Amino acid sequence: MNTIVGTIGNASPLVADAAPMIDPFGRAVTYLRVSVTDRCDFRCTYCMAENMTFLPKKDLLTLEELDRLCSAFIAKGVRKIRLTGGEPLVRKNIMHLVRQLGRQVGSGLDELTITTNGSQLARHAEELYDCGVRRINVSLDTLDPEKFRKITRWGDFAKVMEGIDAAQKAGLKIKLNAVALKDFNEAEMPDMLRFAHGRGMDLTVIETMPMGEIEEDRTDQYLPLSKLRADLEEQFTLTDIDYQTGGPARYTRVAETGGRLGFITPLTHNFCESCNRVRLTCTGTLYMCLGQNDAADLRAALRATEDDGLLHAAIDEAITRKPKGHDFIIDRTHKRPAVARHMSVTGG
Ligand code: SAM
Ligand code: SF4
């Protein structure tokens, strides 16, 4: 039997399916990441080429359509939504979507959150909190303003710091995400750890993933986190802990700072066994795995009729195709990315 759990804007009543979405490997899909735009005001060297071609604006789903899609997923058992991109806060009127989805926090959704580069955070922090967002991820790969400019190409370090200040003042809990890059921020990690923990933020380090053509050689950027961890252990005492945020990070407690340090190791460690997520792009394409090319077009089902039945059926069919895991390997001979689309399409 279905249960009506609420309504949103003009959308039809939200109907919670009795059965949660279970993929062919028995994993419940409870987490939806939504890339609300492929555009960004930065051009991080490991993520994008400087002259990226973005989607024509007419191809994007409207915010109302994104809301309807997200609501369909909530009705089907999704408990956590993360808005990402590209840079989610550069999408025009994005706070409208945040407010709409925020209404479902506590009735359907456990958590609404966002991953941002922080450039626009100062002006949105209070409103994010007001909409029901409580935790955010901010990506920051260095504490050195010059290096920051180098890695982001277009970013302004001071603005991101203002954003972090404003977010903390507004009451948002922040987790910092840093991509570990060989010969770039390797030596800076102890300082980043002290900075994050000194301000009450968790820090997660991520290995670079081979996604999309960029202008640099990814094998030059790749730093295995096993090496980073060993280096950090010369200065800090790291103890594995059971802390879970619903993501693939494995956490440690750092005795000297009292804070948490997470490791996301898609390449050195298979992080797929407990995968609970799917990824929606701003054109309504659903990727069942970050590291595979198979996708489902939900836009057709969304636009075919106002009745959500077709959409629910399309989502169910897509979940039956969720693969066991990714195939990331860096092709050292051809230096090709393992997955042709950039991270900004699916939002990481
Ligand atoms: N623009 C926002 C930001 O930077 O936080 C959200 C989108 S960004 C694609 C999400 C995360 O993916 C960021 O933490 C970024 O550092 C990370 N990322 C981008 N490209 C990556 C790659 N090739 N390998 C690993 N992480 C990557
Ligand atoms: Fe933009 Fe985020 Fe990609 Fe950097 S990592 S270019 S901020 S989408």
Side-chain angles (χ1 to χ4, degrees):
M1 206 179 77
N2 292 333
T3 322
I4 293 183
V5 295
T7 53
I8 297 221
N10 297 327
S12 50
L14 299 179
V15 178
D17 278 355
M21 294 180 284
I22 305 287
D23 80 1
F25 304 94
R27 299 167 298 191
V29 177
T30 54
Y31 182 3
L32 176 68
R33 297 177 70 112
V34 186
S35 175
V36 296
T37 174
D38 61 333
R39 291 169 193 252
C40 188
D41 52 349
F42 290 4
R43 291 288 182 281
C44 302
T45 58
Y46 51 80
C47 178
M48 292 188 183
E50 186 152 21
N51 295 315
M52 287 285 285
T53 309
F54 294 111
L55 291 163
K57 288 204 172 125
K58 65 173 178 41
D59 286 2
L60 264 57
L61 296 184
T62 64
L63 293 175
E64 286 70 26
E65 286 175 321
L66 281 172
D67 181 20
R68 194 177 143 210
L69 262 177
C70 289
S71 299
F73 275 96
I74 296 168
K76 294 196 72 61
V78 158
R79 312 288 308 183
K80 174 171 172 177
I81 292 183
R82 178 177 300 279
L83 302 182
T84 173
E87 174 47 41
L89 295 179
V90 303
R91 169 112 194 220
K92 202 166 162 213
N93 289 334
I94 187 62
M95 294 313 292
H96 173 71
L97 179 65
V98 176
R99 192 159 291 278
Q100 290 295 100
L101 293 174
R103 295 197 175 131
Q104 301 198 61
V105 175
S107 62
L109 265 190
D110 293 338
E111 185 171 28
L112 173 65
T113 182
I114 182 165
T115 296
T116 175
N117 65 22
S119 67
Q120 314 292 316
L121 198 48
R123 65 192 174 98
H124 291 304
E126 279 186 17
E127 196 176 354
L128 283 169
Y129 189 91
D130 193 49
C131 292
V133 175
R134 291 292 174 269
R135 298 191 305 166
I136 61 171
N137 288 356
V138 178
S139 304
L140 184 71
D141 302 322
T142 174
L143 293 173
D144 176 330
E146 302 245 314
K147 280 168 75 183
F148 186 80
R149 169 69 68 166
K150 205 167 155 220
I151 198 76
T152 61
R153 291 195 187 103
W154 298 358
D156 177 352
F157 180 75
K159 266 195 155 174
V160 174
M161 283 299 129
E162 270 171 42
I164 290 177
D165 291 343
Q168 288 198 310
K169 194 157 162 254
L172 294 167
K173 268 201 93 55
I174 299 180
K175 177 164 78 72
L176 288 187
N177 281 341
V179 175
L181 297 160
K182 194 161 82 178
D183 301 329
F184 177 76
N185 56 10
E186 213 175 335
E188 232 194 301
M189 281 298 164
D191 284 345
M192 291 195 63
L193 188 67
R194 286 188 204 96
F195 166 76
H197 292 178
R199 293 198 44 169
M201 302 183 279
D202 288 345
L203 173 69
T204 298
V205 282
I206 312 170
E207 277 172 353
T208 51
M209 293 175 231
M211 297 186 69
E213 291 288 351
I214 54 172
E215 281 139 0
E216 317 209 351
D217 180 353
R218 289 189 192 278
T219 49
D220 288 347
Q221 298 181 322
Y222 179 59
L223 169 64
L225 295 192
S226 48
K227 165 144 188 343
L228 183 70
R229 180 172 175 153
D231 289 348
L232 283 171
E233 282 179 325
E234 288 180 9
Q235 292 186 50
F236 299 98
T237 319
L238 309 185
T239 311
D240 291 327
I241 54 173
D242 224 2
Y243 180 69
Q244 287 287 339
T245 57
R250 310 268 157 122
Y251 279 92
T252 61
R253 171 80 59 196
V254 182
E256 289 74 8
T257 60
R260 279 184 293 248
L261 171 66
F263 294 91
I264 301 185
T265 55
L267 300 186
T268 51
H269 191 286
N270 196 331
F271 74 154
C272 305
E273 305 122 46
S274 56
C275 181
N276 57 355
R277 64 195 56 197
V278 287
R279 294 172 160 86
L280 184 66
T281 73
C282 55
T283 56
T285 302
L286 187 74
Y287 285 94
M288 285 69 81
C289 173
L290 179 64
Q292 298 277 2
N293 290 319
D294 188 31
D297 172 22
L298 299 184
R299 180 169 59 180
L302 180 79
R303 291 188 172 165
T305 145
E306 298 217 332
D307 174 358
D308 281 346
L310 202 59
L311 187 55
H312 283 222
I315 294 172
D316 284 340
E317 191 279 326
I319 299 301
T320 66
R321 287 194 268 140
K322 187 165 163 58
K324 190 166 182 199
H326 66 65
D327 288 329
F328 282 137
I329 34 158
I330 298 184
D331 185 335
R332 286 174 204 279
T333 318
H334 303 99
K335 305 205 174 213
R336 271 194 308 246
V339 171
R341 65 182 184 276
H342 291 88
M343 187 73 105
S344 48
V345 174
T346 41

